[in-house]
Amino acid sequence: MRSMRRKDREVTDINEKMEIINNCKVVRLAMKDKEGLYIVPLNFGYSYLDSKLTLYCHSAKEGRKLDAIEENSEVAFELDCEHKLIEAKLACLYGFYFKSIIGNGVASIVENMEEKKIALSLLMNHQTGKDFTFEDKHAKAVTVFKVEVTNFSAKEYK
């Protein structure tokens, strides 16, 4: 991964990175298919185990997103949160506070029913702060896919 230009804004502590991920509720997933580049905003859940980050999303049973994952499993993603405008007297002195994560990974459809139910529980917990369990019939109604993150970096301007 290319080195970050603004080293003064780079977040290197893994606990701070995970806090950013926890505060973001939407991931923008970038893919490439036969039609070209494609980016889609998605709600997500995640796990971070043994220094490995995995993002989980759900979708309908068919569509461009799933076709793109089947065609080319390499993806890029972006998350951002904690936005605040910095006002000034001159336009060129305005700024914007933020925290963000960017990265790459490999996407795949979750076929295993137990992993699928866990993924849906993680997604719901991340979005609501509440614990949910899923029966097979509910998990079968949607497609769940995961992004096994190969690298990611974090940045903040505060």
Side-chain angles (χ1 to χ4, degrees):
M1 182 175 226
R2 188 176 184 177
S3 178
M4 188 176 296
R5 183 181 65 84
R6 291 292 308 259
K7 290 287 188 189
D8 60 316
R9 295 186 181 169
E10 184 175 16
V11 176
T12 57
D13 180 83
I14 190 60
N15 294 318
E16 291 180 39
K17 289 179 177 182
M18 297 314 298
E19 183 178 332
I20 294 169
I21 292 169
N22 197 52
N23 288 333
C24 294
K25 301 302 179 192
V26 173
V27 61
R28 288 163 192 83
L29 189 64
M31 302 161 272
K32 185 172 183 179
D33 65 9
K34 62 183 173 280
E35 295 179 43
L37 297 174
Y38 179 59
I39 189 165
V40 61
L42 299 157
N43 293 111
F44 71 100
Y46 68 93
S47 68
Y48 187 73
L49 299 170
D50 300 323
S51 300
K52 182 164 179 51
L53 177 63
T54 304
L55 306 176
Y56 292 98
C57 302
H58 76 296
S59 74
K61 299 285 233 165
E62 59 183 41
R64 183 176 179 188
K65 175 173 52 247
L66 298 179
D67 292 344
I69 290 170
E70 291 292 329
E71 281 181 43
N72 181 359
S73 62
E74 293 182 31
V75 298
F77 64 92
E78 185 274 347
L79 306 101
D80 58 83
C81 59
E82 299 187 33
H83 311 114
K84 184 179 177 194
L85 181 66
I86 305 164
E87 295 190 40
K89 291 187 184 216
L90 296 173
C92 60
L93 296 178
Y94 268 70
F96 201 71
Y97 294 125
F98 68 90
K99 293 184 180 183
S100 66
I101 301 280
I102 61 167
N104 300 90
V106 177
S108 62
I109 307 301
V110 175
E111 302 290 350
N112 177 280
M113 184 57 68
E114 290 310 308
E115 183 182 7
K116 194 173 183 181
K117 292 188 295 187
I118 290 168
L120 290 168
S121 295
L122 288 169
L123 192 153
M124 288 303 297
N125 182 271
H126 180 63
Q127 296 300 315
T128 69
K130 298 176 183 176
D131 293 325
F132 291 88
T133 57
F134 290 84
E135 296 178 21
D136 287 3
K137 67 180 179 180
H138 298 123
K140 287 178 183 176
V142 297
T143 298
V144 173
F145 63 92
K146 64 183 173 183
V147 175
E148 295 176 287
V149 175
T150 53
N151 62 70
F152 71 104
S153 62
K155 189 175 181 180
E156 69 180 352
Y157 181 49
K158 57 181 182 173

